[in-house]
Amino acid sequence: MSKNILAFESSCDETSVALLKDFEVQKLLISSQKIHNEFGGIVPELASRIHITNINHLTDNFFQDSEIKKKNIGLVAATQGPGLIGSLLVGYNFAKSFAISLDIPFLSVNHIQSHIYSCFIGLEKIDFPFLALVVSGGHTLIYTVEDYFQHTLIGQTQDDAAGEAFDKVAKMLGLNYPGGPVIDDLAKDGDENFHEFPVSEIKGKDYDFSFSGIKTSVLYFLKKNFPINKPNEREIKNICASFQKAIVKDLFKKTFKAASQLGIKTICISGGVSANSYLRKTFTELEKNNFKILFPEKKYSTDNAAMVGYTAYLASKFSKEFKSKIKCSLFEQPFPRLDMKHKHY
Ligand code: KG4
Ligand code: ZN
């Protein structure tokens, strides 16, 4: 029998609610917080306060113009982490209270897992194994995914995440936050060979990343070449294209190396940076060499509740640990969280 799943996401600055009928998204609302633009990055305290207002409005709107009645929801799911703790607490506790008050089973969902599975939203089942590259504002991770909810971490950033580097370089160039989509746009008209920005290698760790160096090299490049006047429009476009090329080539090189060495022919790239057009083009080239390359639909690349609901669907259908009879209690942690090291958590 099909199940209506109501899902919530609030791990960073997006508040989102989604409704799925099993693996199919019926409705998705996302509210983004513009205020962080003024600061060139997320202000966690502001983010959690805005979530409090947004989540009430969003859920009200959701049910006002929705066919679905609350009593027909079979499962509630929410992002448990990793993410900004204040932001997480708002969405997670709202969702849990919603479930408790209506006596609906509740499921905690891991944010990284939901990014990974966002590549498959709309599919009833998934073919394994595949390699997953998760590239977002807080994470740069490579996993082998052997089966449902069986992941092995094989590479990660040692410092900044790729999205963080996009955001910080955008800030140096005086561009808006989040910087990734702005750089992506400007780079389309830029010369990617304008300057070669170096990306660090990690000795002995072929699948690990380091993006703090490239950030510094952009800063020194700007100080040296534009000590007084800011770069003009053309120069900004060229810097964006050169920086984007350096980051994407590095993501590609290490992911491709991992896939080749491990003999995995399917690569799924998810997280906010997976919306990047140059990245999509670069990875898609691999299809000529018999690789299968999967991305989420662009609207599912950045944080959204549809991926949370879809992960909950997969858990309820395929996870051995999921007990469909689970009743919500304030103290239970019904979903096995992956133990993932992350500095923001
Ligand atoms: O997955 P996400 O919404 O949040 C986290 O879990 O961190 O990712 C947000 C990140 C931001 O750093 C943003 O600049 C980046 O994804 N991003 C992009 C693009 N769209 C979003 N980076 C590069 N190109 C894009 N088109
Ligand atoms: Zn995310």
Side-chain angles (χ1 to χ4, degrees):
M1 211 181 77
S2 67
K3 202 195 288 283
N4 289 315
I5 304 170
L6 184 70
F8 294 87
E9 150 64 27
S10 72
S11 63
C12 193
D13 60 336
E14 256 92 29
T15 325
S16 179
V17 188
L19 178 75
L20 285 85
K21 196 176 197 113
D22 286 334
F23 49 91
E24 285 172 331
V25 181
Q26 307 291 305
K27 188 168 175 172
L28 170 66
L29 294 181
I30 305 176
S31 166
S32 300
Q33 305 180 1
K34 298 273 173 282
I35 193 166
H36 305 287
N37 197 3
E38 285 173 37
F39 304 94
I42 308 281
V43 184
E45 178 64 16
L46 284 178
S48 19
R49 284 171 188 269
I50 298 167
H51 278 304
I52 295 174
T53 324
N54 281 355
I55 202 148
N56 277 303
H57 288 321
L58 221 56
T59 312
D60 274 353
N61 288 346
F62 201 90
F63 284 102
Q64 254 163 32
D65 24 277
S66 198
E67 303 270 289
I68 184 90
K69 298 277 167 282
K70 289 177 189 159
K71 65 174 171 37
N72 295 332
I73 293 166
L75 180 64
V76 176
T79 307
Q80 186 190 35
L84 300 173
I85 191 66
S87 294
L88 285 165
L89 281 171
V90 176
Y92 188 74
N93 285 318
F94 182 93
K96 205 159 185 176
S97 315
F98 184 99
I100 290 172
S101 64
L102 295 165
D103 201 22
I104 304 170
F106 174 79
L107 196 64
S108 305
V109 170
N110 179 287
H111 186 59
I112 307 297
Q113 287 181 358
S114 58
H115 271 308
I116 292 174
Y117 292 122
S118 67
C119 295
F120 304 93
I121 290 177
L123 296 183
E124 190 173 359
K125 54 188 178 54
I126 294 174
D127 290 330
F128 297 93
F130 61 86
L131 197 78
L133 170 68
V134 182
V135 259
S136 68
H139 311 275
T140 307
L141 307 155
I142 305 181
Y143 290 92
T144 54
V145 187
E146 296 85 24
D147 204 341
Y148 294 103
F149 305 101
Q150 284 179 33
H151 316 72
T152 311
L153 182 64
I154 60 164
Q156 62 187 318
T157 182
Q158 299 276 339
D159 39 58
D160 289 2
E164 198 177 347
F166 269 97
D167 295 336
K168 286 182 178 159
V169 165
K171 192 174 177 185
M172 287 175 208
L173 294 171
L175 306 172
N176 275 350
Y177 178 86
V182 186
I183 290 183
D184 189 352
D185 247 24
L186 291 170
K188 284 177 187 144
D189 281 336
D191 173 9
E192 62 181 44
N193 299 318
F194 175 67
H195 183 77
E196 200 165 313
F197 291 110
V199 180
S200 321
E201 294 292 332
I202 316 278
K203 254 200 181 150
K205 294 196 166 180
D206 287 358
Y207 314 146
D208 274 10
F209 303 92
S210 165
F211 294 122
S212 71
I214 188 170
K215 208 179 56 189
T216 316
S217 86
V218 174
L219 182 70
Y220 286 147
F221 177 82
L222 291 174
K223 277 193 173 163
K224 184 170 165 225
N225 296 287
F226 305 97
I228 302 159
N229 295 327
K230 290 197 169 136
N232 63 30
E233 213 175 297
R234 170 114 316 269
E235 287 156 343
I236 287 187
K237 286 179 174 170
N238 291 341
I239 295 167
C240 286
S242 305
F243 162 77
Q244 177 176 269
K245 176 186 171 192
I247 294 256
V248 169
K249 293 283 175 209
D250 190 60
L251 290 168
F252 177 81
K253 187 174 91 184
K254 288 164 184 170
T255 310
F256 177 57
K257 190 168 194 177
S260 306
Q261 289 184 339
L262 299 168
I264 300 177
K265 288 301 232 182
T266 305
I267 305 176
C268 302
I269 305 123
S270 60
V273 182
S274 74
N276 186 272
S277 44
Y278 187 82
L279 179 145
R280 286 190 175 223
K281 193 167 143 263
T282 306
F283 274 89
T284 304
E285 300 265 302
L286 269 183
E287 287 181 344
K288 290 185 197 139
N289 302 358
N290 284 332
F291 278 85
K292 195 169 168 190
I293 307 297
L294 298 174
F295 300 100
E297 271 183 56
K298 280 204 176 168
K299 65 180 174 210
Y300 301 140
S301 275
T302 44
D303 291 345
N304 68 87
M307 64 185 190
V308 180
Y310 183 65
T311 306
Y313 155 76
L314 294 175
S316 70
K317 185 108 198 235
F318 300 107
S319 163
K320 292 175 193 80
E321 281 125 272
F322 180 80
K323 300 179 195 81
S324 59
K325 298 239 162 40
I326 281 173
K327 283 283 169 199
C328 203
S329 101
L330 276 177
F331 306 105
E332 78 195 357
Q333 297 289 328
F335 193 65
R337 258 193 52 219
L338 287 188
D339 199 12
M340 300 206 194
K341 272 195 280 170
H342 191 264
K343 60 186 172 146
H344 291 326
Y345 187 57

